[in-house]
Amino acid sequence: MAMAAANCWFSMLSSSTGSTSRCTLTSQRLFSTSRRPTYFLTSIVKSSKDRNQNPKQKLPRKTPGKFSAESEAITHKLPGRSRDESHLSNVDGQSSWKKAGKSQSTSFRSSGTQRKGNKGVLFDSRDQQVDTGNLQDAAFLNAVVKVYCTHTAPDYSLPWQKQRQYQSTGSAFMIGDGKLLTNAHCVEHDTQVKVKKRGDDKKYVAKVLAKGVECDIALLSIESEEFWKGAEPLEFGRLPRLQDGVTVVGYPLGGDTISVTKGVVSRIEVTSYAHGSSELLGIQIDAAINPGNSGGPAFNDRGECIGVAFQVYRSDEAENIGYVIPTTVVSHFLEDYERNGKYTGFPSLGVLLQKLENPALRACLKVPSNEGILVRRVEPTSDASNVLKKGDVIVSFDDVRVGCEGTVPFQTTERIAFRFLISQKFSGDVAELGIIRGGQFMKVQAILNPRVHLVPYHIEGGQPSYLIVAGLVFTPLSEPLIEEECEDTIGLKLLTKARYSLARFKGEQIVILSQVLANEVNIGYEDLSNEQASERVA
């Protein structure tokens, strides 16, 4: 068995050495037509000495629509799923794809009336300032706390070790039963989490109970009875309407005390979540959101919490675009945790869909009305593969009619992406689909489960797995590894497989030879790196 495995490894190595040439078409070209980079903004505590000593700073390209961070915000370039994500950034917190001491560049591009510099941030925000006279003694402000997190991220290139630890700050708020709510990116790769109440000088150690990477929400608990004395948890409100007033509270950069900004609800729709590379319902607001606001609550005019601040859209062509996780997504996360004792994730139908706006295409598919979306591909790991086929047209979901643009009715006068209905379900729920197949209408049922990723965007448990045999280091391919190794070194063929291939079964991985630790037993193979291990056994 060992000989067969060895033959498999060295069969791969021999074939690799014969085709070491690299395609001149870079991965950037691939991304320009498929997935654009995502930029994360991190409020991080780091000395100027550490920043100046870093020789491998990556400066963001000066193109319209990229993110600009405030004075101490770090910019990270990540591959994303949606082209909309290329302008979205977490307000603060640390991405699991960031390599400590790497990519530590600070962006100082102007956005609107903002003025950025090494010594701080100056901007004109008179339109967004709240008259805090009537909020100074508001009880709900005391439920908002400051989060201090120490992170230790794994080293994906050297998976047996971790990177140098770093610190960041964010916000959180009390929801009762001894629990706090914050953003998942605020406590990414946490080794220690502490919180401090408003007007207090003592920090309390918190425990992370659950992290929802997709929805960017984390649940914390604090055992200290002293912390909860006199505490009043926040009450969740309904989903707001357009132009409803909204107040964002948190602890952003620029000071140590609590900060309050005010605006209105600008838009409610399915939004790209930068941290989780997912698409869920989001609330767009024009209230100022800055690094450190992450995890802080947003209130309506009645003092009810309507969501959690989590990301911003920064562009030279747009101003004052912030995003809040609505209470519908928060409630889904909390109910999922209560049901299962852990976070299991948002379900997916497991199909690739296409709009049906073209009349000729509808006629070809024998769709009589101006509705429905075309099934182009079905994931083998989804339950839908048992009931749906390529070429089917989905015209309803749980008796809700689906339009030809892939939208469904929302809040009486609006329409929203069909994915919204799927996100309201829980893992294991059954959905009834109305479909047209060959001109015939029928109804089928499919069980909804979280999507299985062939190349994961986040590593469960935080630390990547690996195997070392005769100095050959094998590890599963992941998006954090692609980011850390740089896309050009991975190779176009492997990148294409990572982006477009589907998992055939749950648990399938793309295993690569990440590097060779030089030794007399592997002489001649020292230069091999980032090659896919062959499935063939000699």
Side-chain angles (χ1 to χ4, degrees):
M1 187 68 178
M3 284 298 294
N7 288 337
C8 170
W9 293 326
F10 282 96
S11 172
M12 177 274 297
L13 295 177
S14 300
S15 62
S16 299
T17 55
S19 58
T20 56
S21 62
R22 289 284 184 268
C23 179
T24 57
L25 179 64
T26 67
S27 59
Q28 291 297 329
R29 179 65 180 272
L30 172 69
F31 278 61
S32 66
T33 58
S34 57
R35 307 182 183 199
R36 297 187 181 180
T38 301
Y39 285 77
F40 287 76
L41 303 182
T42 306
S43 175
I44 183 170
V45 180
K46 199 173 185 69
S47 67
S48 59
K49 180 179 179 181
D50 290 338
R51 287 195 294 267
N52 294 334
Q53 287 180 345
N54 176 27
K56 296 184 179 181
Q57 294 186 340
K58 288 196 244 178
L59 298 178
R61 291 173 292 177
K62 296 183 179 180
T63 55
K66 296 298 186 285
F67 303 114
S68 53
E70 273 34 86
S71 60
E72 294 185 33
I74 307 300
T75 307
H76 307 294
K77 178 181 177 184
L78 306 178
R81 288 188 188 176
S82 167
R83 54 190 176 184
D84 293 335
E85 290 182 16
S86 62
H87 304 297
L88 296 177
S89 62
N90 289 120
V91 180
D92 106 18
Q94 199 67 22
S95 166
S96 62
W97 299 357
K98 172 193 170 296
K99 184 171 183 178
K102 193 173 182 180
S103 301
Q104 302 291 317
S105 59
T106 304
S107 174
F108 299 110
R109 283 192 302 278
S110 175
S111 175
T113 58
Q114 293 190 151
R115 300 291 183 269
K116 306 177 182 67
N118 289 324
K119 296 184 179 180
V121 183
L122 299 176
F123 55 91
D124 182 4
S125 57
R126 289 172 294 179
D127 293 339
Q128 294 181 335
Q129 293 302 313
V130 176
D131 181 5
T132 57
N134 59 341
L135 292 176
Q136 188 67 32
D137 300 321
F140 63 78
L141 293 183
N142 296 327
V144 185
V145 302
K146 189 170 185 177
V147 178
Y148 301 82
C149 184
T150 300
H151 313 257
T152 306
D155 190 326
Y156 295 94
S157 298
L158 304 173
W160 53 86
Q161 67 184 31
K162 290 181 177 290
Q163 301 177 19
R164 183 177 181 179
Q165 73 178 22
Y166 57 93
Q167 292 79 36
S168 70
T169 62
S171 306
F173 59 94
M174 306 173 187
I175 60 172
D177 197 25
K179 296 181 177 63
L180 301 170
L181 212 61
T182 186
N183 283 146
H185 71 260
C186 288
V187 291
E188 183 90 35
H189 304 305
D190 63 286
T191 53
Q192 185 182 65
V193 180
K194 296 180 290 185
V195 300
K196 186 170 69 172
K197 294 194 296 183
R198 180 191 182 196
D200 197 352
D201 60 354
K202 182 178 180 181
K203 297 177 183 176
Y204 299 84
V205 175
K207 178 183 178 182
V208 180
L209 298 179
K211 278 187 281 191
V213 175
E214 294 168 296
C215 55
D216 201 2
I217 301 174
L219 187 65
L220 312 180
S221 69
I222 297 180
E223 298 179 355
S224 173
E225 296 182 359
E226 180 184 357
F227 176 84
W228 295 104
K229 286 183 179 179
E232 295 184 14
L234 298 182
E235 295 183 1
F236 289 113
R238 62 169 178 81
L239 192 67
R241 298 278 181 171
L242 296 182
Q243 296 187 2
D244 281 358
V246 59
T247 302
V248 177
V249 181
Y251 292 86
L253 294 176
D256 295 326
T257 58
I258 199 166
S259 169
V260 179
T261 56
K262 189 174 178 61
V264 297
V265 174
S266 306
R267 182 182 292 151
I268 303 175
E269 64 179 4
V270 174
T271 302
S272 296
Y273 280 45
H275 179 66
S277 297
S278 57
E279 294 186 342
L280 299 168
L281 191 66
I283 302 173
Q284 179 184 320
I285 63 174
D286 66 353
I289 297 179
N290 295 294
N293 271 124
S294 282
F299 298 97
N300 58 23
D301 293 336
R302 294 181 296 276
E304 299 170 331
C305 177
I306 62 167
V308 185
F310 76 113
Q311 69 184 23
V312 294
Y313 180 104
R314 298 200 188 280
S315 167
D316 293 336
E317 300 175 356
E319 297 180 0
N320 304 333
I321 299 180
Y323 290 92
V324 171
I325 303 172
T327 52
T328 53
V329 177
V330 174
S331 298
H332 189 287
F333 168 83
L334 294 175
E335 186 173 345
D336 185 12
Y337 175 78
E338 292 297 329
R339 283 186 180 188
N340 304 289
K342 62 178 182 178
Y343 172 74
T344 61
F346 283 77
S348 168
L349 184 57
V351 294
L352 177 64
L353 301 170
Q354 176 183 330
K355 297 179 182 180
L356 272 183
E357 298 178 274
N358 189 283
L361 181 58
R362 290 199 301 270
C364 178
L365 296 169
K366 300 179 182 179
V367 179
S369 58
N370 186 24
E371 62 182 3
I373 44 181
L374 175 64
V375 176
R376 292 189 56 192
R377 187 168 61 173
V378 183
E379 296 180 5
T381 56
S382 69
D383 185 70
S385 63
N386 299 320
V387 294
L388 293 179
K389 298 179 180 179
K390 180 180 179 181
D392 288 346
V393 177
I394 300 176
V395 295
S396 69
F397 184 94
D398 285 345
D399 294 326
V400 178
R401 308 300 291 182
V402 180
C404 65
E405 290 188 330
T407 58
V408 294
F410 179 72
Q411 286 192 338
T412 309
T413 58
E414 301 289 341
R415 295 190 69 85
I416 198 169
F418 162 69
R419 296 183 297 274
F420 168 71
L421 296 181
I422 302 175
S423 68
Q424 300 303 294
K425 297 282 190 176
F426 289 89
S427 179
D429 286 355
V430 177
E432 185 178 70
L433 304 172
I435 66 172
I436 294 178
R437 178 181 296 169
Q440 299 296 318
F441 175 80
M442 63 182 70
K443 285 192 174 183
V444 297
Q445 291 185 336
I447 301 174
L448 303 178
N449 289 300
R451 185 182 179 189
V452 177
H453 294 283
L454 180 62
V455 178
Y457 281 80
H458 293 266
I459 305 296
E460 290 188 13
Q463 196 68 21
S465 58
Y466 66 95
L467 173 67
I468 302 178
V469 179
L472 281 64
V473 182
F474 296 93
T475 188
L477 184 65
S478 64
E479 292 290 354
L481 177 61
I482 292 174
E483 166 63 18
E484 195 166 280
E485 283 291 303
C486 298
E487 296 148 4
D488 292 339
T489 65
I490 294 294
L492 184 60
K493 183 177 179 180
L494 199 54
L495 275 176
T496 303
K497 182 172 289 190
R499 296 291 183 262
Y500 302 111
S501 298
L502 298 176
R504 295 168 296 178
F505 54 87
K506 189 174 182 180
E508 183 182 9
Q509 298 174 323
I510 297 178
V511 179
I512 66 170
L513 173 69
S514 65
Q515 61 180 304
V516 177
L517 306 178
N519 190 274
E520 61 182 14
V521 300
N522 53 47
I523 291 177
Y525 296 99
E526 302 92 336
D527 295 334
L528 288 176
S529 65
N530 298 328
E531 299 285 352
Q532 183 179 1
S534 173
E535 297 178 354
R536 295 172 297 178
V537 178

